Amino acid sequence: EILSLLEKSGAHASFFVIGDNAKASPWLVEREARDGDTVGDHSWSHPNLTRLSASVVLAELARDKNLIATLTGEAPTLWRPPYEAFNPSVVGTAAGLGMRMQLWSVSTGDWQLPGTEVIVLRVMAALHNGMVVLLHDGGGYTRSETVAAVALLIPELEAAGYRLAALPVSGVGW
């Protein structure tokens, strides 16, 4: 539903995919890439990477990166750490795989199901150029609040003079 909203408005976004989810729904990852959205690595199974050995971190990121490359024809150059948990070792492992870390400017907390209005208000309260908004489109929970918020946010942001864009795959990261 989010992809359809983006496509209808001509907007783009970035999706940091979990390998388990990509394996279960490969057509979504393929569509994200085909639609011109950025597809990034979010690990294979969404663990706290700072609690894992270096070899397991490597396996988590590499396995997801390889699946994304297979599905989209391009290896991801961006990754987002689950739970915003990272340390120099994890960042170094990702860098060794050719990926730079990307965090966000505002978390909507949509995964907590706070309500559509709260999600919209959190975005609008933090509004600034270049802002990166964290929303969730999976995770085993209903995402109806997130979908409804995106449907409201796209025209509201555009009316305020903002353009929704995918993150660049090269350049400065966190």
Side-chain angles (χ1 to χ4, degrees):
E1 293 173 275
I2 291 172
L3 287 171
S4 294
L5 289 169
L6 292 169
E7 186 176 345
K8 181 179 176 184
S9 69
H12 295 281
S14 298
F15 293 89
F16 289 85
V17 301
I18 298 168
D20 273 340
N21 294 344
K23 183 179 176 186
S25 303
W27 61 90
L28 291 175
V29 178
E30 291 166 350
R31 181 175 173 192
E32 290 162 2
R34 190 174 57 249
D35 286 356
D37 299 314
T38 299
V39 180
D41 190 319
H42 194 39
S43 78
W44 185 263
S45 64
H46 203 270
N48 180 329
L49 298 172
T50 64
R51 297 181 180 163
L52 304 175
S53 69
S55 63
V56 175
V57 170
L58 178 63
E60 278 281 332
L61 296 176
R63 187 174 180 198
D64 193 29
K65 178 181 178 173
N66 291 336
L67 178 59
I68 292 167
T70 298
L71 295 175
T72 67
E74 288 188 42
T77 59
L78 300 175
W79 74 284
R80 182 169 71 79
Y83 311 107
E84 196 178 7
F86 62 92
N87 58 29
S89 176
V90 172
V91 173
T93 299
L97 291 169
M99 298 187 296
R100 66 180 171 84
M101 184 171 62
Q102 177 66 57
L103 298 178
W104 54 90
S105 308
V106 62
S107 175
T108 62
D110 65 328
W111 60 273
Q112 297 172 312
L113 305 175
T116 299
E117 298 79 18
V118 171
I119 296 168
V120 171
L121 286 172
R122 287 176 178 166
V123 171
M124 298 308 289
L127 199 56
H128 66 273
N129 282 329
M131 129 180 179
V132 177
V133 177
L134 176 63
L135 295 164
H136 295 80
D137 63 352
Y141 300 99
T142 176
R143 292 294 169 219
S144 59
E145 292 177 5
T146 301
V147 172
V150 169
L152 293 171
L153 282 166
I154 290 173
E156 197 165 333
L157 292 169
E158 289 175 348
Y162 292 90
R163 180 177 59 90
L164 280 72
L167 291 165
V169 295
S170 61
V172 178
W174 294 92

